[in-house]
């Protein structure tokens, strides 16, 4: 828990009635929360509010009352009547809206090009242009990424308000201009660096980290470091966020946590597993190919998610049926008959088959019981066989019983496979 | 926009510092928002707050001040010191905590079984047990799904508070018991049914729906229907939520919207595309197989995501390299040399190859330029060739230029392919 008074606080307000019916997930709040935290703010509240003027006004007042120095809003900048953010922020800042003619001309240019492309034009478009160019007096405008400008609004005696558009691509695209705008840049200069440390483990129970933290806490004062442990499927992430002045405490704690659980440590710098796998494969000069049964393409889909992945991903086969395992990856039908489709033997044959058919250096085989049906006493739901084989004869095999629903089991299986690929590509012992 | 006064309002408070550093996305808020909206509440606010007592207390007060009749909290029920929700809700309700001995025994049983399995036991466990059995006086406890009980807390003259655990599986597992608890069940009886309608379109621009709504709005009074249009990649969802008394207006509007854009309508009942594809494939008696280049397994991964998918998914090949396209799916090397790997011809060959190799009734081929590199003037980034072929000779081909980033293009490609499979499996014209 963070003690009050240490860091400047910030609040985030995301608007849109569709966020409150569950029709759409808010992608801006978490993105902004990470940006602000990484820049050293303590994020006090993240509010989602509908497109209702009173609710929006109350949300701004509530966040301001929580003693924040910064409010970032997302959404509600569009041309329609229920896009209220600019008007409500102006009221909150105690100012009025005036037409920014330079912005009007700028938006007009965007809309003209759009109209030429789509064939849509007329008075509705002109009204939209004018509404979007009405800005709070004295605000610093941010050029549109789509058609709506953003804003940095100073409020006498109150928090700075940064107003950003709702579409995530526009919001993220406008962010660099926002942090360079003079009032926001001045505030950022006063924020002490986050100096956060992030450690990621694989296969380590949360209770082990909790016990280690208790033990270290009995010897050292850790109260000025906010410690968050967060279990994401098979990975455990430990975030350390020091109060200003406690940076060296966090750094020493990170060192100790890394060395105490070195066997399970994936990264002490917060590097993602996907990034580590890509680096290891590129360094090894090998390509990878998959033969997937229960994960049905999810693993190869994740591997090719990274730009540039064609340099180290040869491909994959999702072979759900026994016939497909035999026809596409050469798994002997007799082997399936003898050991069952879910067996270490078939996982090995899937790995070898994928490696050979794709001409890859590393092959991965996955076959398991994802449920909800099909479990037996010997092979219960969650039983998954993994095998990674390489062209120099390394064989890494695992057959755990993974917990959770069908979706959980498939996602965890992909996690496990990623870590086995990392092991094989790094040349670690099986 | 929803006019005030129509529906009982509800607020959601999700706790956890990890939600405010962006380390983890809140999955409970959107789930609860949909549940409450579908049960007829207007969700006023969704707040994410850190594990800080003052912030949590202020959040509860703020939501109560917004005139809600119900507050649902998620998280902060664990055994550690920063799990504060029960204590803060008790304070909010003006009551104190008392030990619930029956609950203590119940949690004790759960912990004993856990300790036997994991080998972890001792005084820390007993303290956790006791803390989790301290409940607000007079509250209705909800049996744990994990180890933490939930609560329904009545506050004199204030909103009802439903307290749920943070892990999504526990929260969703406890929900049926929550809505059956007497105080919540009594409140729910007073809430008018949502009577919401949801229409989903594919390939329809948002501006078309906006124009139609404007035109209908000029003839009819639609003010008592909250209309949300929400673009999710290639699909456009229109949600209609009537105020009590305006159900027939919403129903008539749904009919009109369905018939006005019938060509692009996917579902007038909110059925998901995945569900429609599964139903159509099962009804057709055909299996589907994929040959994927730029989507690299994402399509087959999505197809097998549904339980029971082995009945209609034969499998798929992610063939990134030209060699793999030839070796695994029989795409002639000469064809690739002549037309390029991204071409309608190769898409067709991928579809036919997948269908034949997997012995499937329907084959899907996808090849495109997902970026960020590799675009040319003739085949820019976003150019994707699709082909669906069936064993009775149907050929459906498309080659659009899709907008967005690498991730967007790949996700949209999967959407497009799903709709083409739906078309082929339903026997619609190419």
């Amino acid at each position: 828990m963070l003690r009050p008074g240490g860091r400047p606080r910030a609040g985030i307000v995301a608007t849109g009635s569709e966020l409150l019916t569950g029709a759409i997930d808010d992608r801006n709040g978490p993105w902004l929360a990470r940006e602000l935290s990484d820049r050293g703010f303590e994020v006090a509240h993240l509010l989602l509010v509908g497109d209702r003027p009173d609710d929006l006004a109350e949300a701004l007042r509530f966040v301001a009352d929580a003693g924040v120095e910064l409010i970032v809003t997302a959404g509600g900048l569009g041309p329609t009547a229920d896009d209220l953010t600019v008007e409500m922020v102006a009221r909150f800042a105690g100012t009025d809206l005036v037409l920014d003619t330079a912005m009007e001309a700028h938006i007009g240019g965007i809309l003209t090009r759009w109209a030429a492309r789509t064939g849509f034009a007329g008075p509705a478009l002109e009204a939209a242009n004018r509404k979007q160019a009405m800005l709070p007096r004295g605000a610093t405008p941010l050029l549109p990424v789509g058609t709506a400008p953003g804003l940095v609004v100073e409020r006498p005696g109150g928090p700075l308000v940064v107003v950003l558009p709702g579409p995530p691509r526009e919001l993220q695209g406008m962010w660099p201009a926002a942090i360079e705008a003079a009032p926001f840049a001045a505030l950022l200069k006063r924020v002490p660096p986050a100096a956060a440390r992030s450690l990621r483990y694989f296969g380590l129970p949360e209770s082990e980290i909790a016990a280690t933290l208790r033990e270290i806490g009995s010897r050292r004062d850790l109260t000025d470091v906010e410690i968050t442990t967060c279990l994401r499927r098979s990975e455990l992430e430990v975030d350390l966020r020091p109060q200003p002045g406690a940076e060296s405490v966090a750094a020493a704690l990170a060192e100790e946590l890394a060395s105490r659980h070195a066997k399970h440590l994936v990264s002490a710098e917060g590097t993602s597993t996907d990034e580590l796998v890509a680096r290891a494969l590129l360094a090894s000069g090998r390509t990878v190919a998959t033969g997937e049964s229960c994960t049905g393409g999810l693993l190869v889909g994740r591997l090719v998610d990274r730009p540039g992945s064609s340099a180290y991903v040869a491909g994959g086969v999702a072979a759900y049926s026994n016939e497909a395992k035999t026809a596409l990856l050469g798994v002997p039908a007799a082997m399936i008959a003898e050991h069952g489709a879910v067996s270490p033997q078939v996982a090995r044959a899937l790995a070898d088959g994928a490696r050979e058919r794709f001409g890859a250096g590393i092959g991965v085989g996955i076959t398991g019981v994802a449920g909800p049906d099909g479990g037996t006493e010997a092979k219960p739901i969650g039983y998954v066989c993994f095998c990674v084989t390489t062209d120099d004869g390394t064989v890494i095999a695992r057959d755990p019983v993974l917990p959770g629903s069908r979706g959980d089991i498939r996602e965890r299986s992909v996690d496990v496979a990623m870590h086995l690929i990392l092991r094989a590509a790094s040349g670690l012992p099986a």
Side-chain angles (χ1 to χ4, degrees), chain A:
Chain A
M1 211 185 69
L2 202 58
R3 294 194 306 183
R7 292 192 168 275
R9 283 161 59 100
I12 300 167
V13 178
T15 71
S17 292
E18 67 277 14
L19 304 175
L20 293 172
T21 58
I24 195 167
D25 286 358
D26 170 44
R27 285 172 51 197
N28 293 321
W31 191 87
L32 288 168
R34 179 172 281 271
E35 276 291 323
L36 295 176
S37 297
D38 286 352
R39 286 170 198 280
F41 285 97
E42 174 183 298
V43 178
H45 295 284
L46 197 173
L47 263 91
L48 312 188
V49 286
D51 301 313
R52 294 176 286 257
D54 291 350
D55 288 347
L56 184 51
E58 278 157 27
L60 291 170
R61 218 174 300 134
F62 168 69
V63 177
D65 287 348
V68 303
E69 298 194 35
L70 172 71
I71 300 175
V72 181
T73 73
L77 304 188
T80 60
D82 59 354
D83 289 308
L84 299 158
T85 305
V86 174
E87 188 186 336
M88 301 314 296
V89 167
R91 259 193 239 177
F92 171 75
T95 182
D96 58 346
L97 298 178
V98 287
L99 181 68
D100 181 325
T101 51
M103 187 60 80
E104 188 183 30
H106 183 88
I107 301 171
I110 298 171
L111 292 177
T112 303
R113 289 189 292 277
W114 181 78
R117 214 171 60 233
T118 61
F120 177 81
L125 208 61
E126 283 160 36
N129 183 355
R130 178 162 285 246
K131 172 175 183 296
Q132 291 185 307
M134 294 293 292
L135 306 182
R137 195 183 296 277
T140 308
L142 305 168
L143 285 182
V145 174
T147 64
L151 294 169
V152 180
V153 184
E154 293 174 271
R155 185 206 196 198
L160 190 71
V161 187
V162 175
V163 177
L164 298 173
R169 208 181 327 159
E170 292 184 31
L171 180 138
Q172 292 173 28
M174 196 180 280
W175 185 244
I179 61 178
E180 277 170 23
F184 195 5
L187 170 58
L188 280 168
K189 259 195 202 139
R190 291 194 289 108
V191 182
R197 295 293 304 261
S198 175
L199 299 107
R200 210 139 31 69
Y201 299 94
F202 177 67
L204 185 69
E206 202 169 4
S207 55
E208 287 291 310
I209 279 288
T212 303
L213 286 170
R214 272 196 304 275
E215 192 277 311
I216 299 175
S218 70
R219 292 187 275 113
R220 289 188 186 196
D221 182 7
L222 301 177
T223 42
D224 279 344
V225 179
E226 182 182 35
I227 303 167
T228 316
T229 63
C230 167
L231 194 64
R232 302 199 222 193
R233 300 195 303 252
S234 331
E235 294 190 349
L236 183 69
E237 196 169 306
V238 183
D239 268 9
L240 311 177
R241 292 181 183 268
Q243 291 288 0
E247 291 82 1
S248 62
V249 181
L253 179 57
E255 295 303 311
E256 193 157 354
L257 288 175
S259 66
R260 288 278 278 270
H261 300 285
K263 204 184 132 210
H264 294 98
L265 187 70
V266 180
S267 166
E269 287 84 33
T271 316
S272 74
T273 301
D274 297 62
E275 174 69 27
L276 293 169
V277 167
R279 283 186 205 162
L281 284 167
L282 281 170
S284 77
R286 287 190 171 109
T287 59
V288 65
T290 71
E292 305 178 54
S293 184
C294 63
T295 50
L298 282 184
L299 174 60
V300 68
R302 176 155 161 196
L303 284 166
V304 303
D305 205 34
R306 270 180 55 89
S309 54
S310 57
Y312 54 85
V313 182
V317 171
Y320 229 46
S321 67
N322 294 344
E323 295 72 29
K325 290 181 181 72
T326 303
L328 279 113
L329 293 170
V331 180
M335 178 191 281
I336 298 175
E338 186 181 347
H339 301 286
V342 179
S343 60
Q345 292 83 352
V346 169
R348 167 87 193 256
L350 288 169
D352 286 338
R355 191 161 50 76
E356 285 156 18
R357 300 282 165 116
F358 284 98
I362 298 176
V364 188
I366 309 178
T367 177
V369 189
D373 309 310
T376 64
E377 199 162 335
K379 296 174 182 178
I381 288 173
Y383 178 66
V384 183
C385 302
F386 299 86
C387 192
V388 178
T389 66
T390 69
D391 50 11
D392 63 357
T394 303
V395 178
I396 305 179
R398 299 282 188 277
D399 62 340
V401 178
L402 303 174
S405 67
R406 175 182 172 84
D408 294 330
I409 292 165
R410 297 174 74 226
E411 288 182 346
R412 275 174 198 264
S413 295
V414 173
D415 283 349
V416 171
M418 290 294 281
H419 285 280
L420 296 180
I421 296 170
L422 182 57
R423 183 164 278 270
S426 314
L428 290 172

